Amino acid sequence: MPINEALFAAMKAASYIKPNAGKSYKLQRVAEELIAKQAPANPKCRVEDAFAPMADGYAVPLRVFTPLVAYGAPLPEALEESSANGTPVASAISAILPAALPKVLPKTPIKESTSSGNTDGISGNANTELPSVTPRGTILFFHGGGWTTGGINLYTQACAHMAVRLQRRVISVEYRLAPEYRFPTAVENCYEVARQLFAGELPISGVGGSVDVDHPQSAAPTAPTGGGDISATIPAPDPDSIVLFGDSAGGNLAAAVSLMARDRGEFMPRTQMLLYPVVGNDYNPETSPFESVRTNGTDYILTAQDMADYIDMYRSSVADLTNPYFAPLTAHDLSNQPRTLVLSAEYCPLRDEDEAYARRLQLVNDNVSCYRIHDGIHGYLLNTSAVGLVSTTYRIIEHFLDDTPLVPAPGTGTTANAPEGGDAWQDVLGTD
């Protein structure tokens, strides 16, 4: 599907201006924290900070999001006015670009009316009492960022929206980042958090607090910085109600945790969702087996060179490249994996490897679905201008999780100018 020409020109220019990921990841971390601090609270979601202890004494920060009202329900009248006021937040595209680019990208005033059924509300007093709802399950979320950037602060708005839209508790994991902590630290952190969740051992601290969690490589906390009673735990949920979910590098971690869980036998996820995940290991246009690395590897913000840099910063050795916990697509055995949803993005360099992973899973597993999001570029989950893409994604997720009807709809995507009659997605495996 052709992408809007003006948007394509802007993305192409940005892709060439920005420095490669290997040179800019530290600046991007700083920029992301500044962006995160500008993000308004979502009054329809309770946010709590928690920590999961690791065997080496490190405490992995978590952020727990619990929906307070049904999706589409209006806010209490006391919050209506403050939530409708425009709040300036950084352009969401800058959240997926290095720090040099926010200078040339405008800030976008976001105004959302919380009285309609299509919005969560983006501002207000998070401590205001709201009616409680019973979450349908728990989503354990691993954030993207090439294993080197991103974090629970940057993803707070996205996770709050996720919790309200899907009516599930969301637990976001601040795994340790590369290159300070290389493979397998991140995946081991995520695996241990998942193990504790399935076992009912996940401790909560600082409940209801507003603890600022810095990138974990800047410090190595061995106890929660926000205080609180660490003896309280999240009760063991029904395993069938737990969903592993990750975008980009987080999708890689979700897939790897599922493989590790099968191999180690301590627990077994029933469901996983992978949004434009990293599952391969070769992003050299001359040697990659995937055409999307060549066609989408230069002009759509995330470049093939960025991916090569991320791989180099994450791996500890060349041998890691063929480790299935590093690159799940290299696994010889993909049997006994959870029910899986893979979502690829049309203009993402990872598109073809994502769809190849879904096809390989389908060969040996039941209940594998894969959809290509038309007009999608890598990282659109954090892009507030990509309302159509995000809405399409959640419609597919609701179909996958809750069996809601999925009717083909015209594509809107990042451009909001998709050709008339163009569908918003493509069922890659033909499972629907």
Side-chain angles (χ1 to χ4, degrees):
M1 180 179 295
I3 199 166
N4 175 272
E5 292 183 5
L7 177 64
F8 174 71
M11 289 193 298
K12 185 173 182 178
S15 300
Y16 280 93
I17 291 172
K18 72 180 184 67
N20 292 330
K23 299 179 180 179
S24 63
Y25 72 93
K26 289 184 179 179
L27 289 175
Q28 185 163 340
R29 289 174 182 173
V30 174
E32 288 174 348
E33 289 303 312
L34 292 175
I35 290 167
K37 289 182 184 298
Q38 297 183 67
N42 187 328
K44 291 189 174 183
C45 185
R46 184 175 72 246
V47 181
E48 303 165 332
D49 287 304
F51 294 79
M54 300 291 106
D56 63 1
Y58 184 82
V60 170
L62 312 172
R63 189 154 289 164
V64 183
F65 303 83
T66 305
L68 296 175
V69 295
Y71 176 64
L75 285 176
E77 188 173 330
L79 295 181
E80 192 71 46
E81 181 177 353
S82 63
S83 296
N85 291 334
T87 304
V89 296
S91 169
I93 292 180
S94 66
I96 57 173
L97 298 179
L101 283 180
K103 297 178 181 178
V104 299
L105 291 172
K107 291 187 176 182
T108 305
I110 304 296
K111 289 189 177 183
E112 295 190 39
S113 170
T114 56
S115 59
S116 72
N118 298 320
T119 170
D120 293 342
I122 60 172
S123 176
N125 181 356
N127 294 321
T128 299
E129 291 292 331
L130 296 175
S132 61
V133 297
T134 301
R136 298 174 184 170
T138 299
I139 294 173
L140 187 61
F141 182 75
F142 308 128
H143 67 79
W147 307 283
T148 67
T149 64
I152 59 177
N153 290 335
L154 183 65
Y155 275 76
T156 288
Q157 274 192 299
C159 287
H161 176 75
M162 186 188 307
V164 176
R165 176 70 189 248
L166 299 179
Q167 291 290 282
R168 285 166 169 83
R169 175 198 289 132
V170 174
I171 303 175
S172 183
V173 181
E174 181 88 306
Y175 54 85
R176 281 176 277 189
L177 300 179
E180 293 86 353
Y181 297 93
R182 293 176 179 265
F183 178 81
T185 301
V187 69
E188 290 289 358
N189 285 173
C190 293
Y191 175 87
E192 177 58 18
V193 173
R195 188 201 65 76
Q196 291 181 29
L197 175 62
F198 275 84
E201 299 172 1
L202 205 58
I204 293 179
S205 61
V207 173
S210 57
V211 179
D212 286 332
V213 180
D214 294 327
H215 282 289
Q217 72 281 354
S218 64
T222 56
T225 57
D229 179 11
I230 64 172
S231 63
T233 61
I234 296 175
D238 177 0
D240 289 335
S241 73
I242 299 175
V243 179
L244 302 188
F245 185 22
D247 70 319
S248 190
N252 167 281
L253 294 169
V257 166
S258 292
L259 289 169
M260 295 174 76
R262 177 200 63 188
D263 296 342
R264 296 180 180 180
E266 295 182 288
F267 66 95
M268 191 60 223
R270 311 295 205 270
T271 306
Q272 65 177 352
M273 303 189 302
L274 316 176
L275 176 59
Y276 38 76
V278 185
V279 291
N281 59 14
D282 182 2
Y283 300 96
N284 183 335
E286 296 182 0
T287 58
S288 172
F290 300 113
E291 187 61 24
S292 61
V293 172
R294 288 175 282 278
T295 58
N296 298 339
T298 57
D299 299 334
Y300 300 97
I301 309 300
L302 177 71
T303 67
Q305 183 59 56
D306 288 334
M307 284 306 308
D309 289 350
Y310 288 136
I311 290 288
D312 285 343
M313 286 189 284
Y314 183 43
R315 67 177 177 86
S316 297
S317 68
V318 173
D320 292 339
L321 296 176
T322 54
N323 186 323
Y325 305 154
F326 183 95
L329 193 56
T330 67
H332 297 296
D333 179 10
L334 289 177
S335 63
N336 299 318
Q337 286 300 278
R339 179 170 176 253
T340 300
L341 173 64
V342 177
L343 294 163
S344 65
E346 182 177 8
Y347 295 106
C348 173
L350 310 180
R351 181 196 67 207
D352 292 351
E353 70 180 58
D354 294 344
E355 295 170 8
Y357 190 65
R359 290 187 181 98
R360 281 202 56 203
L361 283 171
Q362 187 188 39
L363 291 174
V364 289
N365 300 278
D366 294 329
N367 296 322
V368 178
S369 300
C370 180
Y371 296 86
R372 179 185 297 182
I373 307 300
H374 287 163
D375 280 343
I377 63 170
H378 194 87
Y380 68 74
L381 185 68
L382 294 182
N383 189 336
T384 54
S385 67
V387 176
L389 295 177
V390 175
S391 177
T392 293
T393 297
Y394 278 117
R395 288 175 62 192
I396 294 171
I397 288 174
E398 288 165 341
H399 174 67
F400 177 75
L401 292 179
D402 301 324
D403 201 27
T404 59
L406 185 60
V407 180
T412 52
T414 54
T415 68
N417 290 305
E420 291 186 10
D423 290 341
W425 65 80
Q426 172 186 343
D427 183 358
V428 174
L429 303 180
T431 53
D432 275 343

